[in-house]
């Protein structure tokens, strides 16, 4: 696939890295020559220096025969104009734009071929807000991913000493919970992936990824660790777009406080939000945190744009007694360094956004793609189409499907029912199939499995 990426920042660079390793023809456009040189030295891609919204620059990047334009510069307006130019002059089939400003996103009639021709809108702030909201709703989870509009969920937990299943084989999960269908999809032990088998023994400190129907998630979590109490009090450091959206989404069910430095922003948040308490000050102010009883907070969330400020305020909040701290980290290199110590969960907006982008770039009918454990593996939701003649999976039992090495099927969502995978389960047309890959180089093979042959048409 021939793809032009506008913007060589962290999202554009990460996307180029993912796609270049999958035999795509990638061209990255940016005004920053140094960034382009760095990417060009590391990856097998073309680079073009210039403003991505200009027709001459797009033509130089190969827009005449490009399959897709992905506009992820820091400017909403540049991204939208680039899609308009690609549509009008080059008839680019698929145009994806990152748009951050909520005022644009609330107008559904703004983005179609008669107005601004954007096929897929990506809002990193909304993606991250939804991600954090799911973590708040599942105390003790390291990662929570929705499949088939939330019918099934994949949850990562750290196994603790004293958990009922720790020290036991995975096949005993069914004995512990005879009425609950679940499957362990992946285990990470000392930073290395393990493909789970029936005789795999769960050890303390393993990161265990399991899939189940949404209603059964809490029961399965109790097998791996002592269940945390439900969250009630949330403190948010940073009243920017993510902080505002998150407070708006959860304030009706939790006691929410926002700490924000800017007096003008505080006034805006006070006028906009219903029950959230807005405090003007620094989240690194020890006296302010003590005054606001930080020791009683169930979760402290550092959501500013400054990694160092987020890290320091999170460490302080934890030291002063906050039960759990979550921190947004924009520099992916920091994420593995800090997660799991005093900071419970480090959230990378880039990785969350990449998953959304990849779902629209993959071939085959791929609904969603999610990075597991900060990119070490992937979970994919694919829809099976066709019939036994035209499809490589329809009508076949899972044991008879030629899955690539390191790939497993975790569950199938059929209509409203979540079916946990077992060897003799047959795939039917319309099934949503959840797959896990510990080796991303086999993604193309998974896509080919879900291609429909010409006989179907």
């Amino acid at each position: 696939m021939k793809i032009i990426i506008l913007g060589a920042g962290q999202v554009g660079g990460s996307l180029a890295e993912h796609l270049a390793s999958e035999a795509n023809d990638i061209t990255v456009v940016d005004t920053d020559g140094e960034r382009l040189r760095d990417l060009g030295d590391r990856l097998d891609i073309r680079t073009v220096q210039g403003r991505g919204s200009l027709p001459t620059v797009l033509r130089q990047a190969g827009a005449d025969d490009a399959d897709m334009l992905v506009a992820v510069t820091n400017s909403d307006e540049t991204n939208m104009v680039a899609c308009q130019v690609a549509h009008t002059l080059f008839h680019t089939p698929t145009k994806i734009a990152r748009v951050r400003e909520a005022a644009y996103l609330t107008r559904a009639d703004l983005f179609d071929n008669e107005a601004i021709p954007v096929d897929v809108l990506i809002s990193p702030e909304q993606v991250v807000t939804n991600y954090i909201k799911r973590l708040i709703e599942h105390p003790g989870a390291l990662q929570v991913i929705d499949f088939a509009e939330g019918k099934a969920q994949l949850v990562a937990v750290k196994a603790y000493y004293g958990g009922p299943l720790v020290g036991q084989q995975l096949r005993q999960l069914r004995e512990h919970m005879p009425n609950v269908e679940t499957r362990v999809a992946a285990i990470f032990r000392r930073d290395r992936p393990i493909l789970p088998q029936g005789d795999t023994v769960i050890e303390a400190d393993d990161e265990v990824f399991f899939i189940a129907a949404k209603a059964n998630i809490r029961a399965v979590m109790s097998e791996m660790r002592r269940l945390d109490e439900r969250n009630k009090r949330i403190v948010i450091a940073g009243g920017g777009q993510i902080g505002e959206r998150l407070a708006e989404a959860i304030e009706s069910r939790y006691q929410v406080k926002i700490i924000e430095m800017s007096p003008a922003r505080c006034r805006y948040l006070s006028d906009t939000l219903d029950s959230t308490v807005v405090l003007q000050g620094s989240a690194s102010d020890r006296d302010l945190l003590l005054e606001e009883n930080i020791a009683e907070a169930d979760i402290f969330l550092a959501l500013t744009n400054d990694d160092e400020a987020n890290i320091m305020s999170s460490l302080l909040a934890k030291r002063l007694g906050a039960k759990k701290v979550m921190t947004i980290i924009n520099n992916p290199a920091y994420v593995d360094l800090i997660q799991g110590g005093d900071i419970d969960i480090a959230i990378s907006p880039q990785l969350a956004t990449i998953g959304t982008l990849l779902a629209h770039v993959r071939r085959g009918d791929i609904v969603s793609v999610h990075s597991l454990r900060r990119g070490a593996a992937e979970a994919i939701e694919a829809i099976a189409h066709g019939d036994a003649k035209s499809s490589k999976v329809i009508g076949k039992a899972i044991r008879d499907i030629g899955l690539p090495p390191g790939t497993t099927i975790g569950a199938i969502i059929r209509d409203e029912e979540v079916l946990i995978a077992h060897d003799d389960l047959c795939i039917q047309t319309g099934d949503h199939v959840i797959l896990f890959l510990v080796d991303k180089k086999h993604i193309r093979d998974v896509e080919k499995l879900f291609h429909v042959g010409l006989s179907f048409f």
Side-chain angles (χ1 to χ4, degrees), residues 148 151 412-419 425-432:
K151 295 184 185 76
I412 290 170
I413 296 101
R414 183 173 295 158
D415 298 322
E416 297 300 309
E417 192 178 4
V418 178
L419 306 170
L425 180 63
C426 287
I427 294 178
Q428 299 178 9
T429 188
D431 282 353
H432 286 242

Side-chain angles (χ1 to χ4, degrees), residues 32-205:
D32 189 327
E34 195 172 327
R35 271 187 193 166
L36 292 175
R37 277 191 295 279
D38 178 54
L39 274 179
D41 289 344
R42 290 190 294 112
L43 307 173
D44 182 19
I45 59 172
R46 286 182 64 231
T47 60
V48 173
Q49 187 171 355
R51 279 168 49 205
S53 56
L54 296 178
T56 50
V57 174
L58 285 174
R59 178 166 277 116
Q60 190 183 346
D64 284 314
D65 59 349
D67 299 299
M68 180 180 292
L69 176 78
V70 183
V72 287
T73 75
N74 286 326
S75 164
D76 289 353
E77 290 74 18
T78 298
N79 296 338
M80 292 188 290
V81 170
C83 288
Q84 180 74 69
V85 172
H87 173 76
T88 305
L89 298 184
F90 303 109
H91 311 295
T92 306
T94 306
K95 300 160 292 295
I96 299 174
R98 176 167 73 170
V99 178
R100 289 171 156 164
E101 181 53 60
Y104 290 132
L105 297 170
T106 52
R107 295 302 304 263
D109 55 346
L110 195 56
F111 298 98
D112 62 42
N113 285 350
E114 303 305 313
I116 301 172
V118 176
D119 301 298
V120 181
L121 279 170
I122 302 291
S123 169
E125 286 75 15
Q126 196 56 51
V127 170
V128 174
T129 300
N130 294 340
Y131 184 90
I132 296 171
K133 183 166 166 280
R134 289 194 296 269
L135 287 172
I136 291 171
E137 290 167 350
H138 293 86
L142 297 172
Q143 193 169 6
V144 182
I145 295 168
D146 279 346
F147 293 108
E149 299 174 342
K151 295 184 185 76
Q153 288 185 319
L154 176 74
V155 175
V157 294
K158 181 173 272 194
Y160 279 96
Y161 286 107
L165 257 189
V166 174
Q168 300 195 46
Q169 294 183 347
L170 282 180
R171 60 168 58 96
Q172 293 172 281
L173 191 58
R174 186 174 290 277
E175 297 168 22
H176 280 256
M177 295 185 299
N179 301 319
V180 175
E181 284 281 299
T182 186
R183 182 184 175 103
V184 172
I187 296 174
F188 284 88
R189 179 174 298 159
R190 293 182 284 279
D191 294 334
R192 298 191 63 179
I194 295 172
L195 264 185
Q197 308 290 339
D199 59 357
T200 302
V201 175
I202 294 178
E203 297 181 5
D205 291 333

Side-chain angles (χ1 to χ4, degrees), residues 25 57 65 122 212 225 258 267 324 338 354 379 387 392:
D25 180 356
V57 174
D65 59 349
I122 302 291
R225 51 175 291 132
I258 289 183
R267 284 192 293 274
K324 176 175 279 189
I338 66 166
I354 289 297
D387 55 27
K392 296 174 184 171

Side-chain angles (χ1 to χ4, degrees), residues 364-367 381-387 391-395 401 412-414 426-435 449-452 456:
D365 201 344
I366 306 294
V367 180
E381 177 182 348
I383 301 177
H385 290 302
D387 55 27
S391 168
K392 296 174 184 171
V393 297
I394 299 286
I401 296 172
I412 290 170
I413 296 101
R414 183 173 295 158
C426 287
I427 294 178
Q428 299 178 9
T429 188
D431 282 353
H432 286 242
V433 183
I434 313 303
L435 303 104
L449 272 180
F450 287 86
H451 278 170
V452 177
F456 179 55

Side-chain angles (χ1 to χ4, degrees), residues 275-392:
S275 57
T276 298
V277 176
V278 181
L279 306 164
Q280 196 267 314
S282 167
S284 298
D285 182 337
R286 185 175 184 275
D287 293 336
L288 175 61
L289 293 180
L290 288 171
E291 193 179 310
E292 295 303 325
N293 301 314
I294 192 66
E296 294 179 11
D298 295 305
I299 301 180
F300 176 88
L301 291 150
L303 308 181
T304 76
N305 289 324
D306 185 324
D307 286 355
E308 285 74 16
N310 287 343
I311 293 168
M312 296 312 293
S313 63
S314 295
L315 293 174
L316 179 60
K318 189 72 172 213
R319 183 69 56 88
L320 295 177
K323 293 182 184 66
K324 176 175 279 189
V325 296
M326 300 185 201
T327 307
I328 277 188
I329 300 295
N330 289 293
N331 184 342
Y334 287 1
V335 173
D336 284 332
L337 289 176
I338 66 166
Q339 176 159 304
D342 285 341
I343 292 173
D344 298 289
I345 299 178
I347 298 158
S348 167
Q350 283 75 27
L351 279 179
T353 307
I354 289 297
T356 311
L357 282 165
L358 289 176
H360 299 288
V361 176
R362 302 288 189 217
R363 293 184 176 91
D365 201 344
I366 306 294
V367 180
S368 61
V369 180
H370 301 276
S371 284
L372 306 184
R373 214 180 178 282
R374 283 94 65 198
E378 288 199 347
I380 292 176
E381 177 182 348
I383 301 177
H385 290 302
D387 55 27
K389 289 182 180 177
S390 62
S391 168
K392 296 174 184 171

